[in-house]
Amino acid sequence: MDLEGQIEQVVRQERDLVLDHLTEDDAWELGSWIRQRASDGRWPVVVDVRRFDRPLFYCALPGSTPDNPDWVRRKAATVQRFHRSTWRMKLELERDGTTLQDRYGLSLADYAAHGGGFPLVTHDSGVIGCVTVSGLPQRMDHLVVVHALHSMAAMRPSALRLPPLPDAP
């Protein structure tokens, strides 16, 4: 799929992966869903689910590195600022031949346009937080989150067609 097709796919995911609500229990369920698959696959990831005002779920699995929490922080900051997935930000910046720093003057020490951060959106409140995964190749970080949200979302009749979740490298 070409770059524009990938961007359109992510825009559809962002539009369709909307939750009816997000309670603390929902966040725990979402994070636990990701953690279980990561544990089964022996994926060396950090998982973070948060409202923008507070963390709701966090775990670091074996093999994750001290860099992964920093990637999570930077990806979450990007989702909070732009209300878009970090994979979409990466693809759009790549398409336009620029960076977060060049286009927006943002420090790459504080923001990251790398897949794995995705907005948490509810029907009533809009974007209220994000779910972030770090530790796998960035497209897979993104797909893990999309699959997890798909498992929870109140899907519209035209349900998303998700690419299969690949094995970790």
Side-chain angles (χ1 to χ4, degrees), residues 65-161:
T65 70
D67 284 339
N68 295 127
D70 193 51
W71 278 103
V72 164
R73 177 187 62 79
R74 293 166 52 218
K75 291 176 186 183
T78 303
V79 173
Q80 184 170 0
R81 174 142 181 160
F82 294 100
H83 289 189
R84 296 181 190 164
S85 72
T86 54
W87 183 241
R88 177 177 167 192
M89 292 297 298
K90 181 249 188 257
L91 295 172
E92 289 176 343
L93 291 168
E94 182 180 320
R95 175 197 62 201
D96 298 342
T98 191
T99 66
L100 285 170
Q101 188 169 27
D102 292 341
R103 174 163 286 161
Y104 302 104
L106 298 176
S107 167
L108 300 182
D110 295 320
Y111 296 89
H114 290 265
F118 201 97
L120 289 171
V121 182
T122 64
H123 291 293
D124 293 340
S125 301
V127 179
I128 60 169
C130 64
V131 53
T132 310
V133 171
S134 175
L136 301 170
Q138 59 181 313
R139 181 174 184 274
M140 188 164 172
D141 280 348
H142 173 78
L143 287 175
V144 168
V145 171
V146 166
H147 277 261
L149 285 169
H150 186 267
S151 76
M152 291 186 66
M155 298 303 296
R156 297 177 184 173
S158 59
L160 286 172
R161 290 189 189 98

Side-chain angles (χ1 to χ4, degrees), residues 49 58 84 113:
V49 181
Y58 184 91
R84 296 181 190 164

Side-chain angles (χ1 to χ4, degrees), residues 35-48:
R35 189 208 177 282
Q36 183 62 54
R37 272 128 200 99
S39 182
D40 292 348
R42 297 183 168 189
W43 301 341
V45 298
V46 167
V47 180
D48 179 75

